[in-house]
Amino acid sequence: MMMTRVFSGIQPSGNLTIGNYLGAMKNFVRLQHEADCLFCVVDLHAITVPQEPEALRENSRNLAALYIAAGIDPDKATVFIQSHVTAHAELGWILQCIAYYGELGRMTQFKDKSAQKEVVTAGLFTYPALMAADILLYQTGLVPVGEDQKQHLELTRDIAERFNNRFGQTFVVPEPYIPKFGGRIMSLENPEKKMSKSDESAGAYIAMLDEPDVIRKKISRAVTDSDREVRYDPDAKPAVSNLMTIYGMFTDMTMEQVEKHFAGQGYGPFKKELAEVVVDGLSPIQQRYRELIGSSEVDEVLRKGAQKAREMCAGTLADVKSKLGFVLA
Ligand code: AMP
Ligand code: TRP
C-alpha cells in the first residue's frame, strides 16, 4: 500500500510562535512516522507582503533549522525551500487561471490582511492559488495546518476537482488535518485574536525562541478572566481556557486533568507552572536550534530536499501542461 502523502508549509516571515508549534509543527513531527511528508519554507508566499531581503534570507534558513530542531528528521521527511523548486511558481500561475476572482475575493485571510492597508499586492490576492499548487503538485492526501487555513484548503479542493472535471483525473483531492485541540491558539493579550507572529505587540505571543525569562514575563502578564478558577470554558473564560490549552498540549493532559491539578489554587500558581512547562517544552528545541544554525547541516538538508522535491513533482507538472494543451518542450 502506498503511504499517504503529507504536505505543509510555513512562511519565513519572522519569529515562529507556540501557536505555529502547537497548531502545526507538532503534528508535522508526529506525522513523519506514518506518512510520506514534505515540509516547505514558503518564501514565495512571504513576499506577498514587503520583506527586507536580508531578513527574508535569514528567516528562511532559520525556519528550516527550526523544523529540524523541533524534531523533523530530514531522513524521514523532505524539508525544502519553495523557491528552490520552480514547479511551484509554474503550477501557481496555471491554477490562478483555474481559480475564480470571486472565490479568491471571499477568502477571509485576504480580507483581514488587506484591510486598512495602503498597498495590497496582486500576489496577496492570488496567494491561495499558489498554496493549492504547493499541495497539488505532490498528489498530497493530507495537509496538517491550523484552523486559519481551513478556507484555503477548501479552495484547494475546489480547484483540484474543477481541474479534474475539465481535464480528467490529475490531482488527488486533499483532506485538511486540523487538530481538534490547539488548532487556534489565541493571543495572550486578547483572547479574541489568534496568536500571530506579526502582532505588533510582542507580549501577545510566545516565540519558539523566546528566552526563559521572557516567556515567564509574558505568561505572568497574560490576561485572565474574572473569578479565580482554573476552569475550561472557552465561551465564558476564553483567556484562561487558552492558557489551559497551551498547558494541556505541552503536558499531554486533558482539560479535566488540568482542572483537577489546579483545583482551588487560583491563577497565580497556574501561571507559574504554565511558564515552567512552556520553558521546559521549548528548551530542547532551542538548544538543538542553536547547534544547527551555525553548521552547514541545514544547507545540506535543503539542497537534498529541493532535489528530492523536484523529482517528486516533475511528473504531475508535465501531466498538467500536456492536458492544458501546451506544446511540450
Ligand atoms: P503561518 O505562520 O501563517 O505561515 O502559519 C503556519 C502554520 O501555523 C499554519 O498551519 C497555521 O495554520 C498555523 N498557525 C498559525 N498561527 C496559529 C495559531 N495561533 N494557532 C494554531 N495554529 C496556528
Ligand atoms: N498559507 C499558509 C499559512 O499562511 C502557508 C502555506 C503555504 C501552506 N503553502 C501551504 C500550508 C501548503 C499548507 C500547505 O499558514
Side-chain angles (χ1 to χ4, degrees), residues 170-192:
T170 309
F171 298 124
V172 168
V173 181
E175 299 284 342
Y177 180 94
I178 298 170
K180 220 174 109 229
F181 213 69
R184 195 169 163 82
I185 300 293
M186 308 310 281
S187 154
L188 299 183
E189 294 179 340
N190 175 3
E192 307 292 311

Side-chain angles (χ1 to χ4, degrees), residues 7-11 42 45 109 127 131 134-135 143 145 149 152:
F7 185 101
S8 198
I10 299 183
Q11 300 191 52
V42 291
H45 277 100
Q109 184 171 304
Y127 163 129
M131 176 163 163
D134 298 341
I135 296 166
V143 185
V145 282
Q149 297 301 313
H152 291 159

